[in-house]
Every structure is written in structure tokens, then in C-alpha cells.
Amino acid sequence: MFGRQQYDGMNPIYPKTEISPDAGSTPGAGEEISGQLERIRELMQKPDPTEAVWACDAFNRDHPDSAEGWHVASQLALKIADPGAALRAIEHALRLEPDRSEWLLHKARCLLLLDRKPEARVLASRMAQRLFPKADLTEQVGLLLSSLDMYEQAEKLFLDAVKLAPQVAGYHYNLATVQRILGKLETAETSLDRAISLDPDDADSLALRSGIRRQTSGQNHIEELKQALSRSAGSPRQTVTIFHALAKELEDVGEHAESFSCLKKGAGIRRKHLRYDVQRDIDTMTKIKGVYSDSEFVGDEGGFISASPIFVIGMPRTGTTLVERILGSHTRVHAAGELNTFALGLVEMARGIAGTRQLSGPGLVELSRQIDFLELGRLYIERTREFSVDSAHFVDKMPMNFLYAGLIHRALPKAKIIHVDRNPMDTCYAVYKTLFESAYPYSYDLQELGRYFVAYRELMSHWNRVMPGVMHTVRYEDLVRNHRRVTEAMLEYCHLSWEEQCLRPHESDRHSTTASASQIRRPVHQESVGLWEHYRDELQPLAEILRGAGIEI
């Protein structure tokens, strides 16, 4: 998150003066007004939004009582990545037409983009009480609820959508996604069977069903997946998704050579369609080590004093979700999931210093040393306050926060930081075989994956050197083999008393949206330890990079 694309042109589309709440309703738009709005929508489709911005601004000056005009302005603001302007515009539209469900939904999305989740949840809860006559709007509200972690309410809306339009495969798929998150795995599989019966080539449904449970030689979908794969040639995304699903099921039944062949083909296609340079990430991590050296951690570090946060960090697929669920089983801890809050606050403050200057990742790292870390810590605690209302502590399980471990300590010196480590080869193989929606672009090429892992390891060594004793490291292999001993040490580090239920995280009713959402419903096990050895020959390019960096595998 050391950098984010923004629109740098002037942005006049939100109002400069308030519209009175009693300004009246939008009059019937004449043909001229309708034509102008349609023209603005056409301009919004162009790569350069400048003309649309000025046309929309002119329209809203000429027609300040047109609710539809402010709605269009809000849509345009989102297109140019200005959710603050989008929120202001849609609020003006709602002053003119207060009860438009589609616009209330749009407002909630703006709040979500601004990380104002408590306000978005209040609005979403109100909408969840409504009965919508159309399935598509019902589904959209369900998706909003899901994005706000309101999964029980989302399930109800998706069930309503299925009743309104039982022949739409996508509604069954969305229903299955929240059922999986809620731990209703058998029900989710039934929903996916229905979705696939309606659309046999829907790769997302096929892949989600493959991951719901461990497949067996007597009960799997391998032939069905191969048939779907033969029909997917025209869509790289479909092909990649089905290849990964097929690789997973083949691995489940012990067909390791064929499994890796499918995985390699799928990863290769995905990588071909990504614009990514791993060296940029490596340069950023190198810059972090240079900027946040020993001298940055000498003497009084300041920062905001709060012991509420427990950060769980590391590479993805290392057991961070398991650690979160263990901690979240404690009566004094709330498992908040993967939060972008710290990174977003950091970038927001850095952008405030940078102004209109465009900065690379390393440039933002350099700039970040000027940040008021006391204010950054205060901002983080303020934006996560909802998680500490009923619990003394909350877990922020964002693996990528390993980039910011030192900055977290500067901003929140009393916060706990748990680093989850795992065998390098098991880690990299688990990352390589996971099809991520948009994160971790280094994961589809073994050499890039190896280079990224080396940089990560070097950064973690750096943090431990400049902040001795600050972080607590949990080895995944130790955790699954000596569950009680490692859990006791982890709770002691967090100043938490022992509670027996921490040994039974699979019984927790806490939700999980990660790739481990199905696995965490099982008792702690050792089945994933050493899994990479089935592919020792295939993973040699990765192993050579790790060994060359002095990493023991």
C-alpha cells in the first residue's frame, strides 16, 4: 500500500454550497435534460474522464435540483477514485429524493470505500429490513451486507433472491459463498450443485465447490472439471480457475504429477495476463530496511498508547488464519479479520504530505518517515473502535502488514505483533497453488515467488534486529504439533490468561473469508506439513533460489 493510483485533475463535481433539505423533489426531466445526462454517461466511458467531469459540473450548476444529476456526479467521482466527492454528491441526491433504494445502496458503498464501516453498517441494516420486489436489487444489497461482514443478513437476502429468480445461477453461487463463510459447508455444496446445474461452465462455482471439502477417489468432480476445461478455451480467466480447481481435486486423490501439471498451466496463463514487476516490490522492501534502520528505534518512540490491537502478520498461507481463530476463541479477544486500516491510514497521511506529487513505492517509504506516528496510531484506533467495544483486544490479521511491522510499533508501541512463520517450501507451494482474486501477483511464477520470499525473509530479519523482543514468532509446524505449548506461549505474550477453548478453534462460531474458510472448520491437524515434498522435482527452480539466499528448506 506504499502508493495508490489517484486522479490528479481538478475535481469540481461535488457541490460548493449546501442544497437545502427542503429544496423539493426532482421535476420531471425533459428531453433536453435527459439528453445531457445521457451524454455525460457516454463521456464517462472514455479513458480520460476530464470532459465528463466538466460536463457534469456544468450540468449540476445549471440544474442543482436534479437528483439524477447528483447521482451521475457520484458515479463519476467513484470512476476517478474520489469516494469523498462521491459521498457528498449522493447525499445531495438523497436530500432531493430520500428513499431511492438504489441510491441508498450507492451511499453505503461510498462509506465502505472511505473505511467508514460503522455508518455503512447502520445504513445496510436499514436496507436489510426492506422487501425488494426485484431479485437483482435484493442481490446487490446482499453483496453489500457481505462486504460489511454481515453474513447472516446477507444469507437472508441471497435466499430471497433465489426465491425471486431460482433459475439465475449467480444467485445460488452468492448464497453458497456466505454459507461457506458461516461454516454451513454441506448446505453451501448443495447451493453450488444447483448453480452448476444451471450453468455447468461457471468456473467460480466449480472452483468453490472443489474447495468446500477434501475430495476422495469415490466422490470428486475431476471428470466434470476436465469437460468444463475443454469448453473454456475462449476465456483465460475461466481456464485458469478450472485448472486450479482441477489441480486441487487431483492432489486430494493423490494424483500429484497430474495435479502439478494443471497447476503450472493455470499459473502460467494467469501470469501472462498480469502487468507486474517483482523487482518493484523487492526495491520497496529494500528501501524500508534503509529508512527504518536502528536509529529509528532508539530512545522514546512516542506513538499512541493502546494495548487493544494484536497484529498477526506473515506470508499468506502460513497459518495466520489459524492463529487468529485461536486468539479469537478467547473471551477477551475479537477476531476482526484482514483489515486494510493501518496501510490506508499510512498512505493517506503520506499523500497529505506529498500533495499532488506522484511517488513510487520507495518514494512513499522515504516520505513516510515524516509522518506523525502518534497521529497515525490515534487514527488507527479511532477507525477500529468498533472492534474494541465489547472486547479488550482485537486481532488484525492482515498478512501484508509484515511490511509495516516497524511502523506499527512506532505508531502503537503497546500493540502486540505475532509473526507466523512456516517452512519456506511449504509456504511457497501453498501460495503458488492458491488462486487469489487480486492480491499477491508474485505467486504465479516460481522464480518470482522465490525472489519475493527471500526479500520478505530479509525484511523480517531486519525487523527482529532493530526491534529485539517486540514481535513474537509462531512456527506453524510447532503450532500444529504442540498445540497447547505454543498456544500458552502466545497467550502469555499477549498478557491473556489461559482458556481451554483456545485449543478448539474449529468450534468457534467466528466467520472467516480467507482461502482457509473450509479448512478451519476441522480440528488442528498436521496434514499440510511437508506437502511440498510430493513436488520436490517440480519445485527445484524455487528451491535453488531459496538455497542461494542461504534459506534452509
Side-chain angles (χ1 to χ4, degrees):
M1 286 298 295
F2 274 118
R4 158 173 78 166
Q5 292 297 317
Q6 291 185 333
Y7 176 70
D8 292 319
M10 295 180 62
N11 185 6
I13 67 173
Y14 56 87
K16 304 297 188 293
T17 57
E18 290 291 314
I19 294 177
S20 170
D22 59 356
S25 300
T26 304
E31 291 185 8
E32 181 180 352
I33 289 179
S34 298
Q36 289 181 51
L37 289 173
E38 185 60 31
R39 174 60 179 159
I40 294 170
R41 292 190 182 97
E42 291 175 359
L43 293 172
M44 286 170 60
Q45 304 308 311
K46 292 186 175 183
D48 183 352
T50 304
E51 191 176 356
V53 168
W54 290 111
C56 191
D57 179 51
F59 178 89
N60 285 324
R61 280 191 296 174
D62 293 341
H63 306 282
D65 57 349
S66 170
E68 188 62 46
W70 293 113
H71 175 234
V72 171
S74 184
Q75 292 176 311
L76 178 54
L78 286 188
K79 183 177 177 64
I80 62 175
D82 192 343
L87 178 62
R88 292 189 288 273
I90 197 64
E91 285 178 336
H92 278 266
L94 285 165
R95 287 190 183 97
L96 295 163
E97 294 190 19
D99 207 38
R100 290 278 293 268
S101 294
E102 295 88 342
W103 294 1
L104 290 169
L105 176 63
H106 182 82
K107 178 181 176 180
R109 288 170 174 159
C110 293
L111 290 167
L112 182 59
L113 288 170
L114 290 166
D115 206 26
R116 291 165 60 174
K117 288 186 177 180
E119 297 169 74
R121 287 194 179 100
V122 171
L123 184 53
S125 294
R126 280 171 40 203
M127 297 191 69
Q129 304 306 313
R130 297 187 174 193
L131 292 176
F132 302 103
K134 297 191 297 182
D136 56 350
L137 183 56
T138 303
E139 180 207 29
Q140 289 300 309
V141 177
L143 290 170
L144 170 68
L145 291 163
S146 181
S147 67
L148 289 165
D149 306 333
M150 302 168 70
Y151 300 111
E152 288 87 354
Q153 298 96 315
E155 183 186 26
K156 178 183 179 299
L157 268 292
F158 289 140
L159 284 168
D160 289 345
V162 165
K163 290 177 183 176
L164 287 167
Q167 299 306 310
V168 178
Y171 297 164
H172 295 276
Y173 169 79
N174 286 332
L175 175 60
T177 62
V178 294
Q179 290 171 333
R180 171 178 172 270
I181 290 168
L182 292 169
K184 302 177 180 181
L185 301 183
E186 292 184 6
T187 307
E189 187 166 6
T190 299
S191 295
L192 288 166
D193 285 338
R194 179 59 178 159
I196 293 165
S197 71
L198 293 167
D199 185 358
D201 293 331
D202 179 47
D204 291 330
S205 293
L206 291 166
L208 189 64
R209 186 178 64 176
S210 293
I212 285 284
R213 59 174 171 82
R214 189 181 182 89
Q215 309 296 318
T216 66
S217 57
Q219 189 177 9
N220 61 71
H221 316 96
I222 291 173
E223 291 306 315
E224 188 177 356
L225 287 167
K226 287 181 177 179
Q227 292 172 17
L229 184 64
S230 69
R231 299 190 297 266
S232 70
S235 169
R237 185 185 181 279
Q238 291 276 102
T239 301
V240 169
T241 303
I242 297 172
F243 262 132
H244 277 73
L246 185 54
K248 190 271 180 188
E249 296 211 11
L250 288 165
E251 181 176 78
D252 283 351
V253 301
E255 297 291 340
H256 296 109
E258 189 178 358
S259 171
F260 196 89
S261 175
C262 289
L263 182 58
K264 186 176 181 179
K265 291 174 183 175
I269 297 170
R270 179 66 183 271
R271 181 63 187 91
K272 181 180 177 182
H273 288 83
L274 289 175
R275 295 179 61 186
Y276 172 70
D277 182 359
V278 71
Q279 189 60 45
R280 293 183 180 179
D281 282 339
I282 294 171
D283 290 345
T284 297
M285 286 187 261
T286 300
K287 186 67 174 181
I288 291 171
K289 290 185 294 182
V291 169
Y292 292 94
S293 58
D294 306 61
S295 60
E296 294 290 322
F297 299 92
V298 174
D300 183 11
E301 292 146 4
F304 189 84
I305 303 303
S306 173
S308 294
I310 302 173
F311 291 87
V312 177
I313 65 175
M315 284 284 286
R317 312 300 291 139
T318 54
T320 53
T321 300
L322 175 58
V323 168
E324 178 199 31
R325 289 185 70 79
I326 291 170
L327 292 170
S329 298
H330 198 283
T331 55
R332 300 187 66 216
V333 180
H334 174 78
E338 297 186 351
L339 306 179
N340 276 320
T341 309
F342 189 87
L344 289 173
L346 173 64
V347 172
E348 179 182 321
M349 294 183 70
R351 289 291 185 191
I353 298 170
T356 59
R357 285 180 291 161
Q358 286 294 302
L359 296 171
S360 63
L364 278 172
V365 174
E366 180 68 38
L367 194 66
S368 69
R369 70 195 318 165
Q370 301 178 36
I371 283 175
D372 181 341
F373 283 97
L374 172 63
E375 176 60 19
L376 178 58
R378 186 205 63 77
L379 184 67
Y380 176 85
I381 294 300
E382 178 63 30
R383 291 180 176 178
T384 57
R385 194 167 302 282
E386 61 176 309
F387 303 122
S388 54
V389 171
D390 299 318
S391 301
H393 304 278
F394 67 92
V395 180
D396 181 340
K397 187 207 82 75
M398 173 56 74
M400 287 294 292
N401 276 337
F402 79 81
L403 291 168
Y404 318 115
L407 289 75
I408 289 170
H409 184 56
R410 289 281 306 276
L412 296 159
K414 297 299 182 182
K416 299 300 182 183
I417 306 175
I418 297 175
H419 171 220
V420 186
D421 196 15
R422 186 182 181 187
N423 172 275
M425 292 297 289
D426 270 334
T427 295
C428 290
Y429 171 63
V431 171
Y432 184 64
K433 72 174 182 175
T434 302
L435 182 60
F436 299 101
E437 182 65 28
S438 57
Y440 315 122
Y442 57 81
S443 64
Y444 303 103
D445 178 274
L446 289 177
Q447 292 190 341
E448 290 177 331
L449 176 54
R451 292 175 63 198
Y452 188 96
F453 185 88
V454 170
Y456 144 79
R457 268 292 180 90
E458 291 174 349
L459 180 57
M460 292 311 303
S461 295
H462 172 79
W463 289 136
N464 279 309
R465 183 176 61 80
V466 300
M467 305 186 300
V470 169
M471 296 186 296
H472 179 74
T473 298
V474 171
R475 286 277 299 172
Y476 173 78
E477 291 79 9
D478 294 340
L479 178 60
V480 297
R481 289 168 176 157
N482 302 287
H483 187 17
R484 177 180 286 272
R485 178 177 61 79
V486 175
T487 299
E488 286 175 344
M490 186 164 56
L491 293 178
E492 183 179 356
Y493 164 77
C494 295
H495 302 305
L496 293 168
S497 60
W498 174 255
E499 290 185 0
E500 198 70 21
Q501 67 267 22
C502 291
L503 294 179
R504 302 186 300 275
H506 61 287
E507 296 179 359
S508 172
D509 60 359
R510 302 286 173 88
H511 310 142
S512 176
T513 61
T514 70
S516 304
S518 299
Q519 296 95 307
I520 58 172
R521 303 297 175 179
R522 302 171 57 198
V524 175
H525 60 82
Q526 303 179 34
E527 293 174 11
S528 297
V529 175
L531 190 60
W532 75 273
E533 294 185 10
H534 291 294
Y535 312 98
R536 183 177 289 272
D537 293 339
E538 293 89 342
L539 293 173
Q540 277 311 299
L542 170 66
E544 290 174 7
I545 290 174
L546 300 184
R547 289 195 191 98
I551 295 176
E552 184 178 346
I553 64 173

